[in-house]
Amino acid sequence: REIKLRNYDPEDEELKKRKLPPAKPASVEDTVKEQLEAAKPEPIIDEVDLANLAPRKPDWDLKRDVAKKLEKLEKRTQRAIAELIRERLKGQEEELASAVGSAKQEGSDSE
């Protein structure tokens, strides 16, 4: 087995022959440049939603759980509002009909 000396600087002439020449570091600039270019992400600004990046409010889970119930209540509220409007319109029609009827009676009295 042959001895190879890399770090040891021998004083003996016979051992100096076995000493390996100093190693030259390999150029890694090209490799590093390729890795850096591959690591650069393309801008994805169009796909990023800023609302998702913002931290959620502490009560977001409560709102999520109550949302279904609120939908039902919203439907009921809209039905109730529509019914109240219908009742008011019926009341106005009756008032209008009575006002028209009284106007006809006054018009026939004056003739």
Side-chain angles (χ1 to χ4, degrees):
R1 187 168 178 185
E2 189 174 328
I3 298 176
K4 296 180 182 178
L5 303 172
R6 292 190 181 155
N7 296 328
Y8 179 68
D9 192 17
E11 293 182 16
D12 185 29
E13 291 296 322
E14 191 174 316
L15 289 177
K16 282 186 180 182
K17 294 177 184 174
R18 294 184 182 179
K19 183 177 178 187
L20 296 175
K24 294 181 182 176
S27 176
V28 292
E29 292 177 1
D30 296 333
T31 308
V32 171
K33 284 181 183 177
E34 289 175 8
Q35 290 177 351
L36 286 175
E37 289 175 6
K40 287 182 183 176
E42 295 180 14
I44 313 175
I45 296 173
D46 297 337
E47 296 178 19
V48 174
D49 185 15
L50 296 178
N52 290 340
L53 294 177
R56 292 186 175 177
K57 293 184 179 178
D59 61 347
W60 69 271
D61 57 338
L62 297 175
K63 289 181 181 179
R64 179 197 63 205
D65 295 339
V66 174
K68 293 176 186 175
K69 295 177 183 177
L70 285 176
E71 287 177 18
K72 289 180 185 177
L73 287 176
E74 183 65 28
K75 289 178 185 178
R76 289 182 184 175
T77 304
Q78 292 299 326
R79 286 184 197 151
I81 290 172
E83 188 176 326
L84 288 172
I85 291 173
R86 284 189 205 112
E87 288 177 7
R88 283 189 182 174
L89 289 176
K90 284 182 183 179
Q92 287 179 355
E93 286 176 4
E94 291 172 4
E95 290 175 9
L96 184 59
S98 64
V100 169
S102 65
K104 283 186 181 179
Q105 287 178 357
E106 289 177 7
S108 61
D109 290 342
S110 61
E111 289 179 13

